[in-house]
Amino acid sequence: QSGPFQKRFDMRKRHGKYAVFLFAALMLSLAFSSCGSKKNKQQGYGGMEQTVSVTTAGYSTVTLVQQYPATLVSNKQTNLLSEVGGRVEDILFKEGSHVSKGQPLYDIDKSVYQAAYNQAMAQLNAAQTNLATAQTDAQRYQNLLEHNAVDEIQVAHAKAQVKVYEADVNSAEAAVEQAKINLERATVVAPFSGSTNVSTARLGDLVIPNVTVLVTIADNSSMRADFHVPESQYVSMLAGKDGSDPALPEFKLVLPDGSMYSHNGKLDFVDSTVDPTTGTIMVRLIYPNPNEILKSGMNCVVKSEENTGKEYLVIPEQAVQQVLNEYHVYVVNDSGVVQDQKIELGQSASGKQIVTGGLKAGQKVIVEGIEKVRPQQHVKTTPYSGPEAPADTIRQSKTSGKR
């Protein structure tokens, strides 16, 4: 029949055929897309097989180097105080200049100390006069005793008086010496040769004895560097060694501008206890400073170099990838396929990284082109020829061997 019902049936039939055709076309498109994606995954981005630079992991004898932050301090430094009080009358040196031991630096008001010295001298003269008189009397009584003109009691009394006046003279001499010292101390001198900083005391300032800091003097002919070594490193690096031990590591100094100081440090002091809060031991080195390049308060880095003679498995540092707290490398197997391997790190520096686990000698590690590939991708390889640090310059990283 050719009614409205037949027309609707024909339209549904045509629409069904069209839907089947569209479904078939969609599935065919997805199939081609899957093939293309698989091919791209095999070949890399852009449909081309990627080329990466690889290096072969191998063992090498290295020199272990650790670095420690340190602040330099003059080996001999003091805040100069006055032992007497009074107002500053004169400053006798140029701030920042080098001064010699015994050189006058400050004049404190001497009037009080001069008066005390004069009084002490007067008392000494009086005591000496009394003593001379007593000695004369004692001698006279002794002569009279020989002629039985006086009794022995008078002689004994005269000799006792001599002893009293001798004690007075001794006391007066001590007072004179003390007054003389105070008068001399009113001129403050340099306790040792060194360089001065800015004067704290100014003309007219009131100086309180043993409290007021006048100026800081530092002998910069040698400098000390105090730093802290982890107890685990102390055992292998310093335990049982002294400044003359040939097995002691070399201690170099990296200046704030990154340059290397020309003189090596000498071990001077190792603390007797471990800091329980940090697990470190304080170590002190002494560096010669003939040209006074080093300054007190300068922040430097102590670099120790220790040749253990051991061989370590090393790779270029840039080959290592960090994912959260884990470290990985891409290796290329014999079939040219990229594989992701988790590794454990030791020490690192200057472009080199010691690997302590997860990697074997002879494996090919991708160094350049890591960002272009993914695991299970087939790649072409070329030998890595980029800049590398020598294998004998491995250092301790700041995070206990972690990058």
Side-chain angles (χ1 to χ4, degrees), residues 117 173-185:
Y117 177 76
E173 287 177 344
V176 168
E177 185 64 25
Q178 183 61 57
K180 181 181 178 182
I181 291 173
N182 289 339
L183 182 59
E184 291 175 347
R185 286 175 175 173

Side-chain angles (χ1 to χ4, degrees), residues 131-273:
L131 175 61
T133 300
Q135 288 173 338
T136 301
D137 290 343
Q139 185 62 46
R140 182 167 58 86
Y141 279 112
Q142 181 65 39
N143 293 336
L144 292 173
L145 178 62
E146 293 175 359
H147 294 84
N148 298 318
V150 294
D151 57 27
E152 293 183 356
I153 294 178
Q154 290 177 301
V155 174
H157 179 75
K159 288 182 178 179
Q161 196 66 31
V162 170
K163 296 293 184 182
V164 171
Y165 286 126
E166 283 179 347
D168 288 344
V169 169
N170 291 337
S171 177
E173 287 177 344
V176 168
E177 185 64 25
Q178 183 61 57
K180 181 181 178 182
I181 291 173
N182 289 339
L183 182 59
E184 291 175 347
R185 286 175 175 173
T187 298
V188 183
V189 301
F192 54 81
S193 298
S195 299
T196 60
N197 65 358
V198 177
S199 175
T200 306
R202 296 298 177 184
L203 290 177
D205 284 356
L206 180 62
V207 175
I208 301 175
N210 300 313
V211 174
T212 304
V213 176
L214 303 177
V215 70
T216 299
I217 302 177
D219 178 6
N220 292 328
S221 59
S222 62
M223 304 291 287
R224 73 172 188 254
D226 294 344
F227 60 98
H228 293 81
V229 176
E231 55 186 339
S232 59
Q233 296 177 13
Y234 160 77
V235 174
S236 61
M237 185 172 68
L238 295 172
K241 301 175 183 178
D242 56 32
S244 60
D245 195 324
L248 191 70
E250 289 187 353
F251 294 100
K252 301 182 181 297
L253 193 66
V254 182
L255 300 178
D257 64 351
S259 62
M260 195 71 67
Y261 188 55
S262 57
H263 299 278
N264 288 348
K266 181 179 180 181
L267 182 64
D268 178 65
F269 169 79
V270 178
D271 202 350
S272 59
T273 58

Side-chain angles (χ1 to χ4, degrees), residues 82-94:
S82 174
E83 297 180 88
V84 297
R87 296 201 176 274
V88 178
E89 286 193 334
D90 199 2
I91 299 176
L92 308 173
F93 71 100
K94 182 180 180 181

